């Protein structure tokens, strides 16, 4: 049994503030340890539940945040940017039995600690076939095309609620309770490690590959906080304006859908101007 852990940081233990996840800041250095602790707890739980191999794919910002020297040495770490499937890189290799979303968060425009979708700001909402989409939903649709189930989700309590929509059978572990976008009631690292470990151990039984999903076509709509960003996004082939601040595109698969979304966010981020966005 092989488990792929997609590790994001906004949903990690103790994280509530932008500086907690911005590479190079002092709070980020502190929170990297709690982020690594969450991932280690998931690794230990999956191995205790019968997994033979765990690959951790770094999925936050520069994708170079986890402390390799502190990582459980029974696992391997895929770190760095510019990957074919970004946050779920590795699932396309055909040897993954289950995926875990560790440190995940809710989507742009919804309640949740540091809620966003790919870009920290600028995007105010994403929808897939009319349903509001978080990064969790987007990535769940991608891995389903490879016949791989999402078996564990960790983050704040709102993230666990969101996961019930795209992975209703998965184990969900809340490490903090939402108060505002920048505040939460947090459990201690010792407690969250125990909870994640138990959740991952139970989740290992769910890691059973199934027939690849054929759910397309997918229409992805993205809303921005400024009109010029929608205009910038239409530079990407196939992306068309649907309103002053909205664009949409349609793909036959979510493999193509997530890659087009990545192209849109890359172009849009280069069009954001300091102060005025």
């Amino acid at each position: 049994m092989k488990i792929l852990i997609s590790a994001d940081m906004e949903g990690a233990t103790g994280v509530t503030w932008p500086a907690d996840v911005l590479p190079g800041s002092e709070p980020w250095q502190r929170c990297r340890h709690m982020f690594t602790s969450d991932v280690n707890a998931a690794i230990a739980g999956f191995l205790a539940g019968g997994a033979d191999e765990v690959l951790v794919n770094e999925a936050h910002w520069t994708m170079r945040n986890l402390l390799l020297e502190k990582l459980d040495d029974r696992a391997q770490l895929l770190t760095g940017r510019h990957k074919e499937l970004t946050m779920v890189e590795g699932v396309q290799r055909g040897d993954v039995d289950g995926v875990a979303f560790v440190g995940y968060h809710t989507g742009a425009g919804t309640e949740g600690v540091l809620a966003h979708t790919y870009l920290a700001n600028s995007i105010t909402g994403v929808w897939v076939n009319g349903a509001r989409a978080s990064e969790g939903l987007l990535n769940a649709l991608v891995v389903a095309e490879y016949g791989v189930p999402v078996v564990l989700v960790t983050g704040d309590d709102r993230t666990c609620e969101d996961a019930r929509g795209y992975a209703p059978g998965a184990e969900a572990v809340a490490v903090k309770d939402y108060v505002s976008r920048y505040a939460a009631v947090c459990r201690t690292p010792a407690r969250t490690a125990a909870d994640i470990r138990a959740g991952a151990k139970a989740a290992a039984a769910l890691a059973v590959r199934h027939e690849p999903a054929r759910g397309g076509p997918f229409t992805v709509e993205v809303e921005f906080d400024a009109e010029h960003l929608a205009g910038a996004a239409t530079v990407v082939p196939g992306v068309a304006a649907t309103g002053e601040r909205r664009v949409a595109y349609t793909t036959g698969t979510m493999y193509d859908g997530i890659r087009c979304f990545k192209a849109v966010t890359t172009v849009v981020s280069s069009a954001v101007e300091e102060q005025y966005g």
Side-chain angles (χ1 to χ4, degrees):
M1 182 199 304
K2 181 176 180 178
I3 302 295
L4 173 67
I5 295 177
S6 173
D8 205 357
M9 196 171 182
E10 285 88 358
T13 296
V15 168
T16 61
W17 190 246
D20 292 344
V21 296
L22 292 176
S25 72
E26 184 176 339
W28 168 76
Q29 289 286 9
R30 169 176 168 265
C31 289
R32 293 175 76 190
H33 292 271
M34 291 187 283
F35 181 30
T36 305
S37 173
D38 285 3
V39 171
N40 276 339
I43 294 167
F46 280 119
L47 293 172
D52 304 295
E53 185 179 354
V54 178
L55 174 65
V56 180
N57 177 39
E58 260 264 27
H60 175 68
W61 207 280
T62 59
M63 301 184 177
R64 303 178 67 86
N65 306 276
L66 287 168
L67 298 168
L68 177 61
E69 61 274 25
K70 299 291 185 180
L71 198 71
D72 188 317
D73 61 12
R74 295 173 295 176
Q76 291 183 299
L77 177 64
L78 172 55
T79 183
R81 297 178 64 188
H82 309 302
K83 296 174 287 197
E84 181 183 4
L85 287 178
T86 62
M87 298 183 75
V88 289
E89 179 68 22
V91 73
Q92 71 270 43
R93 298 178 185 178
D95 60 351
V96 174
D97 300 292
V99 174
F101 295 162
V102 173
Y104 267 50
H105 51 82
T106 54
T110 65
E111 291 185 345
V113 177
L114 295 177
H116 70 283
T117 307
Y118 267 58
L119 301 183
N121 46 45
S122 299
I123 290 177
T124 56
V126 178
W127 294 263
V128 177
N129 291 346
R132 186 178 280 274
S134 61
E135 292 172 11
L137 173 59
L138 293 173
N139 291 326
L141 291 171
V142 174
V143 302
E145 293 184 340
Y146 294 92
V148 181
V150 177
V151 299
L152 172 70
V153 179
T154 79
D156 69 7
D157 58 326
R158 298 297 199 273
T159 300
C160 293
E161 292 174 14
D162 180 52
R164 283 195 278 272
Y166 62 78
E171 294 288 327
V173 179
V175 301
K176 54 198 172 192
D177 295 328
Y178 166 83
V179 173
S180 76
R181 194 178 186 211
Y182 304 120
V185 178
C186 297
R187 285 81 151 154
T188 64
R191 178 177 168 186
T192 59
D195 290 345
I196 293 171
R197 196 160 45 241
K201 183 177 180 180
L206 306 174
V208 179
R209 272 180 277 182
H210 47 69
E211 284 296 312
R214 298 286 184 262
F218 298 97
T219 296
V220 179
E221 189 168 17
V222 187
E223 181 182 76
F224 304 98
D225 64 3
E227 174 276 336
H228 79 286
L229 299 180
T234 61
V235 171
V236 179
V239 177
T242 58
E244 282 189 333
R245 296 181 293 107
R246 288 196 180 207
V247 299
Y249 61 89
T250 300
T251 60
T253 67
M254 270 309 293
Y255 170 86
D256 291 328
I258 200 69
R259 286 165 63 80
C260 187
F261 186 69
K262 177 64 174 177
V264 166
T265 57
T266 300
V267 169
V268 165
S269 63
S270 69
V272 175
E273 301 295 343
E274 189 175 1
Q275 304 302 327
Y276 282 84

